[in-house]
Amino acid sequence: MTTRVIIVDDQAMVRAGFAALLAAQSDIDVVGEAPDGAQGVELSRRTRPDVVLMDVRMPEMDGLEAARRILAPPPGGGDTAPGGHRPRVLMLTTFDVDDYVYEALRAGASGFLLKDAPPADLISAVRVVASGDALLAPSVTRRLIADFARQRPAGRGRPALRLKALTERETEVLTLVARGRSNAEIASTLVLAEQTVKTHVSRVLTKLGLRDRAQAVVLAYESGLVTPGE
């Protein structure tokens, strides 16, 4: 399977560099580039990529608004509805802590990557996100979520109520996911088979109506299940 990618960034040299790097991979196909968020949204709807590399700060329309529009559930239908294609969005940023990135994760983005990350990290990030996982490995991602969660009241209202749908074991798994643990680490901590952990994670996402682990982490912080500094 080839992963179809578009690159949305206002810097032509960044787009060209990323495109050349990714196109050199046998399993990645760069199907388009756009210089701002508005054109990125249109390009995504036209080319239906698997992954969108989205710069956070751009003129005309920033990456946050573009991500919201690309990831918004289609009215009255699933991915087969007009405009219903919903790719994975990987945010690109120059800063390791950025308000926009947190909001993008809430909107459904699958993670973020620093623009100055090594080339191998970019290639790996595209593959990770395309596979349906979230890019949460870098410590800066967990710190970013914790920093902004700390500024918001937790444990009140709908986020906390949603967790009541989970079993005790599923709640334990979600807690460890929110702390940045991998499936293998969760399996070791809870003395479970890794496949069992994957099943629990899948059930958590389904019950809570979440796309991936990134949204699960955000919800865990906002509901008060996990607090910064634990």
Side-chain angles (χ1 to χ4, degrees):
M1 294 290 292
T2 299
T3 298
R4 293 163 52 82
V5 178
I6 65 171
I7 302 167
V8 185
D9 194 296
D10 62 329
Q11 299 180 49
M13 289 185 65
V14 171
R15 295 198 307 273
F18 284 177
L21 177 66
L22 294 173
Q25 311 306 308
S26 61
D27 60 335
I28 298 175
D29 185 13
V30 178
V31 296
E33 303 174 24
D36 62 60
Q39 292 185 53
V41 172
E42 191 279 330
L43 179 64
S44 177
R45 291 172 177 168
R46 178 161 45 86
T47 61
R48 300 174 69 87
D50 301 302
V51 176
V52 178
L53 290 180
M54 180 77 72
D55 187 21
V56 170
R57 300 176 184 274
M58 292 181 290
E60 303 299 328
M61 180 189 293
D62 64 28
L64 172 58
E65 180 59 27
R68 282 178 177 148
R69 296 190 184 192
I70 289 174
L71 295 170
D79 285 353
T80 57
H85 178 65
R86 297 174 71 196
R88 302 283 173 172
V89 175
L90 180 62
M91 306 301 297
L92 300 168
T93 179
T94 307
F95 310 100
D96 64 351
V97 176
D98 192 313
D99 317 29
Y100 286 97
V101 180
Y102 177 81
E103 295 300 335
L105 290 174
R106 295 188 69 192
S110 294
F112 84 100
L113 188 72
L114 297 180
K115 281 189 175 183
D116 60 359
D121 286 3
L122 173 64
I123 297 168
S124 175
V126 169
R127 289 172 176 156
V128 166
V129 169
S131 73
D133 209 342
L135 193 69
L136 294 176
S139 61
V140 288
T141 303
R142 294 193 294 273
R143 188 174 76 246
L144 178 146
I145 294 172
D147 284 347
F148 286 97
R150 186 181 292 115
Q151 299 173 25
R152 292 163 167 79
R156 301 174 184 171
R158 295 181 62 188
L161 289 175
R162 290 171 67 184
L163 298 184
K164 291 184 177 181
L166 304 182
T167 65
E168 183 177 349
R169 178 62 83 188
E170 289 164 353
T171 301
E172 290 177 327
V173 169
L174 175 57
T175 299
L176 293 173
V177 166
R179 290 175 178 162
R181 305 285 179 83
S182 67
N183 286 343
E185 291 169 336
I186 295 172
S188 176
T189 300
L190 299 180
V191 194
L192 297 171
E194 189 170 346
Q195 184 58 47
T196 301
V197 172
K198 291 180 181 178
T199 300
H200 282 311
V201 171
S202 177
R203 287 175 178 167
V204 167
L205 298 181
T206 299
K207 285 185 176 182
L208 299 179
L210 305 173
R211 295 191 71 202
D212 55 33
R213 294 168 84 103
Q215 287 193 313
V217 172
V218 171
L219 178 62
Y221 276 108
E222 291 189 331
S223 66
L225 178 64
V226 175
T227 58
E230 284 187 332

